[in-house]
Amino acid sequence: MFQEERLVSILDYLKSNKRISVDLICELYEVSRDTARRDMVKLEEQGSIVRTRGGAILPTLSKEVGNYDQRLQEESTSKLTIGKRAATLVQDGDYLMMDASTTVLHAATALASKNNIVITSSIQTAAILTRKDGITIHMLGGVLDNKQHSVYGAKAIEMLNEYHVDKLFIGTCGISENGLSAPNEEDCYLVRAMIEHADQVIVLADHSKFGKRLFHRVVGFESIDILVTDQALSEEMKERLLASEVEIVLAGGEEQHD
C-alpha cells in the first residue's frame, strides 16, 4: 500500500474510532514504527490530525468559518427546512430578536405571522423583513462586519438594554457537549447580551454543526429553551439537551422527549 492510501485509511479509522496508536498502524498496515511515525508527521503537517503520546487523534477544534455568502450556501436545503419550521413558532404580535445566522435568515423569510416587532443585528435579515407587511424592524447600531453582513460591538450591546422580547432566534457555528461555540469573542458577547433580553431562546442548527467546537464558548445548554434541527440527534447529545430541559424540535418531524 502506498503512503497516500495509508493516510486516507488512517483518517477513515480515526473518524470511526477517534484515536489510533503507532503500534496499531504498524499492525494494520504491516509497516515499521519509523514508517508509522512518518505517516503521522505527514498527516500532522496537513492539519488532519493532532499527534498525542504514542498515537494520534482528529483535531477537536474547528477553525475555519466562511463569509456570509459561503455560509448561506452550506447545507442550504437543511437551513431552509429548519427556517420554515422555526417560523411556525412565532405568533401574531410576538416581539422577536434575530441574530445574523444564515439559518435565522430563512426563518425571517418564512415568517407568516402579523404585527411582529423584530430587532436584528443582520442587515440581510432586516432587508428580507422590509418586504413583509406589518413588521416593525429595529436595527442594532455599531460596527458593521463586511464579511458577515452583521453589526457588532459595544454600541450594539448597549442598545440591547433598551429592549426585551418574547423570543430570540440564534444560530451557531458549533454544538458540542460544552454547549454553543463561535469563532470570535465579539459574536459571543452579542449573543450573550441578546439572551439576557429574551424570555425564550430558540437555537437553529443543522446537522453539520453537531460535534463541532470553536475557539470561544458562547453559552451552555442551560441558556437554551428550544433547539430546531433537521436530523435526529445522537443519544448522548439528546440526553445532554434533555437534562438541561431543552425542547428538541425536528424540522419535518416531531419533538424529541424522554
Side-chain angles (χ1 to χ4, degrees):
M1 181 182 287
F2 294 110
Q3 184 185 41
E4 290 303 319
E5 294 174 310
R6 276 199 314 276
L7 300 187
V8 171
S9 181
I10 290 169
L11 290 177
D12 287 340
Y13 181 91
L14 282 169
K15 289 173 184 176
S16 301
N17 298 276
K18 297 185 178 180
R19 190 180 190 283
I20 194 168
S21 66
V22 172
D23 289 340
L24 185 56
I25 292 174
C26 295
E27 179 183 339
L28 290 175
Y29 305 106
E30 299 180 349
V31 295
S32 68
R33 291 180 64 85
D34 284 343
T35 297
R37 289 194 185 96
R38 283 195 294 270
D39 286 349
M40 288 201 297
V41 168
K42 183 74 171 178
L43 287 169
E44 186 176 45
E45 289 173 348
Q46 294 173 354
S48 300
I49 65 165
V50 175
R51 291 171 67 192
T52 61
R53 190 169 184 176
I57 60 173
L58 292 175
T60 62
L61 194 64
S62 298
K63 299 176 182 178
E64 293 186 7
V65 176
N67 62 33
Y68 191 88
D69 291 333
Q70 290 169 333
R71 291 191 294 118
L72 196 59
Q73 297 302 315
E74 294 169 353
E75 302 295 341
S76 57
T77 301
S78 295
K79 291 178 179 180
L80 179 62
T81 303
I82 293 168
K84 287 181 177 179
R85 181 65 177 91
T88 67
L89 302 176
V90 179
Q91 306 298 319
D92 291 350
D94 276 349
Y95 285 47
L96 312 173
M97 195 178 294
M98 295 182 162
D99 77 351
S101 158
T102 54
T103 312
V104 172
L105 177 73
H106 287 297
T109 303
L111 273 184
S113 51
K114 301 176 181 178
N115 301 319
N116 299 122
I117 291 179
V118 182
I119 303 156
T120 185
S121 59
S122 167
I123 60 174
Q124 298 291 356
T125 295
I128 286 291
L129 293 173
T130 61
R131 304 170 192 170
K132 297 180 179 291
D133 295 330
I135 294 183
T136 302
I137 306 162
H138 291 250
M139 186 77 203
L140 293 179
V143 182
L144 179 62
D145 184 332
N146 294 341
K147 290 184 177 180
Q148 302 302 341
H149 298 185
S150 63
V151 172
Y152 68 94
K155 181 61 177 178
I157 292 173
E158 181 183 344
M159 284 186 68
L160 288 173
N161 292 324
E162 302 173 11
Y163 306 116
H164 195 86
V165 298
D166 298 303
K167 296 168 182 174
L168 165 64
F169 291 86
I170 59 174
T172 184
C173 291
I175 303 180
S176 68
E177 66 276 8
N178 294 319
L180 311 185
S181 57
N184 61 70
E185 58 187 349
E186 293 291 353
D187 289 341
C188 297
Y189 296 151
L190 186 59
V191 170
R192 288 173 191 159
M194 286 179 165
I195 288 171
E196 292 177 3
H197 297 280
D199 288 340
Q200 187 180 69
V201 178
I202 303 170
V203 176
L204 312 186
D206 68 77
H207 62 276
S208 71
K209 303 302 192 302
F210 291 89
K212 284 188 176 180
R213 180 186 301 169
L214 289 93
F215 188 49
H216 292 276
R217 182 176 183 266
V218 183
V219 291
F221 297 138
E222 69 280 355
S223 297
I224 301 169
D225 296 299
I226 299 174
L227 169 71
V228 185
T229 188
D230 62 318
Q231 292 184 12
L233 307 180
S234 68
E235 282 303 314
E236 181 181 1
M237 180 60 71
K238 179 182 172 182
E239 288 175 8
R240 285 181 179 273
L241 288 161
L242 293 177
S244 296
E245 299 184 335
V246 178
E247 180 182 331
I248 304 167
V249 177
L250 293 180
E254 299 296 328
E255 299 168 9
Q256 286 189 258
H257 300 287
D258 289 310

